[in-house]
Every structure is written in C-alpha cells, then in structure tokens.
Amino acid sequence: MTDLLNYATEWVEASRTALTGRGIEVGVDRSSGERDNPSLWIDLDRGSRMVRLTLWSSGAAVLAVAEVGTGSILLEEQLELVATAALDETLRRAVTLASGE
C-alpha cells in the first residue's frame, strides 16, 4: 500500500496553494531508510491549532489535533485507511479540523 503514501504526498503538493490561501501551513515528511512499514506525516498548522496525520504504508493511520497555545490534545484517533477514497475523506477532515470549522 505504498501507493497511499505516494497519493498523500501528491495531495499535499496539489493542495498546498489552496491551503496556504486559507492560512494553513503544510508540512510533509517521510520515514527514512528501508523499513518494512514506511510512513509519512502531514502537518497542517493554522497558528492556534495543529493537525497531524501519520500514515503507514499498511494503511494504519493516526489523526491528531492539538491546541498550540496549551499543548492540549483535542483529538487522537487510530484509523485503518484501505483505499484512496478513505484517505481523501480523512485529508478533507484534517483540513476542516485545522480550520477550526
């Protein structure tokens, strides 16, 4: 399912301008080296709120939301994303959470 990692990376690049226009800074990084279950994480930062989606090639994922000023974790969910449609839905949700909507 490395395709999910590639899809997520492509989504970030395709969405970066629109997200920046909404005041959301975007960061993405991948695990280094050869791993059995490589991962990537996407950070969506809107100043007072930060959302991180960590995704492994197996489809396991964690969606977390933190309040930057206090460090409080507002949400932490473990997910199983088995298709790009589920990943799309999770990415849209991450943007909504970062926006505070």
Side-chain angles (χ1 to χ4, degrees), residues 76-94:
E76 188 170 50
E77 286 183 7
Q78 294 185 359
L79 308 165
E80 191 65 36
L81 307 175
V82 295
T84 56
L87 178 55
D88 265 335
E89 180 181 325
T90 302
L91 289 165
R92 283 192 302 274
R93 183 167 175 231

Side-chain angles (χ1 to χ4, degrees), residues 2-69:
T2 303
D3 291 346
L4 285 177
L5 301 184
N6 293 333
Y7 184 88
T9 302
E10 291 169 7
W11 179 90
V12 167
E13 293 313 314
S15 304
R16 187 178 300 277
T17 301
L19 292 170
T20 301
R22 293 175 68 175
I24 300 172
E25 292 181 37
V26 183
V28 64
D29 206 352
R30 282 183 176 247
S31 57
S32 59
E34 292 292 319
R35 297 182 186 264
D36 291 337
N37 192 15
S39 63
L40 68 72
W41 50 98
I42 300 168
D43 290 330
L44 304 176
D45 185 352
R46 190 156 188 247
S48 63
R49 182 175 282 197
M50 182 167 193
V51 176
R52 173 169 282 180
L53 175 63
T54 306
L55 175 64
W56 286 266
S57 64
S58 65
V62 174
L63 180 63
V65 181
E67 190 174 291
V68 174

